[in-house]
Amino acid sequence: MQQNIYDNNEFFENYKNTRLSDNSFNELLEQPAMRKLIPDVQGKSVLDLGCGFGFNCQEFALAGAKRVVGIDLSEKMIEEAKATNNADNITYQVMSMVDIDTLNEKFDFVFSSLAFHYIEDFEKLISKIYNIMNDNGALLFSQEHPIVTAVKNNGENYVKKLNGSVKGFLLNNYADMSIRKEKWFVDGVEKYHRTFSYIINTLIKCGFTIEAIDEPLPSEEALKTREGLKKEFIKPTFLIVKAKKTQ
């Protein structure tokens, strides 16, 4: 059963404040990299898995998508999305992404931002995504980088010099693909670690062709906004993959 941490009041409020900040990792690093890989959605049907507040759904609608479906396990997220990022061609639904086979429709583009690492059975999810996509459809997703999800100690893994500057990152438990529990706003947040090779090979096994892989680095402008992003040159935070369903 997928954990629904986003309906925890303390977690939700802290996450909302972070996500709405102009200097968040999402806004400065992950989202700019994702936008570069989004295909033309004019006249297309789009599914957003783990849509959160619906920011991306709104962008797809404004870009001319014929239909946009946003699903999220969190009732609080869907309520916020309906209130702030709605449109006539957007449908929001409280649903776990593991249940997408019950939607009974197919999509030209499937998108997901920082949600796949919450899913226990990655292969089953990817197989279901493949089955609900039209031929030549595109899948674009981001997740926490496997270097991030690997560590189990939930502590500070950066190695620092005597002057306090970062000189490296301690990686551990990389080959141990299993659940991780950490403190992020609240204790006990669950996510699942998978190696880079497992992620890519699973996509290929399920029938996808890999089109692009990105481990985004901050722009000069982003570094001016948030100096701490310099650590991205030592250890990547995000992994982004674009794949295609070929006939």
Side-chain angles (χ1 to χ4, degrees), residues 3 25 33 40 42 44 46 64 111 114 122 144-145 154 157 159-160 166 176 181 194-196 204 209 216 246:
Q3 183 188 46
F25 271 56
D40 182 7
Q42 179 74 38
K44 301 295 180 64
V46 179
F111 176 91
L114 300 176
F122 183 70
E144 288 191 6
H145 198 284
N154 196 34
N157 280 67
V159 179
K160 296 182 179 180
V166 176
D176 180 8
K181 295 184 180 183
R194 290 173 272 270
T195 62
F196 185 93
I204 295 170
T209 298
T246 52

Side-chain angles (χ1 to χ4, degrees), residues 190-213:
E190 298 176 356
K191 60 185 178 183
Y192 294 86
H193 168 64
R194 290 173 272 270
T195 62
F196 185 93
S197 59
Y198 179 82
I199 293 166
I200 300 305
N201 287 331
T202 298
L203 288 160
I204 295 170
K205 178 181 178 181
C206 291
F208 282 102
T209 298
I210 308 300
E211 290 201 319
I213 296 173

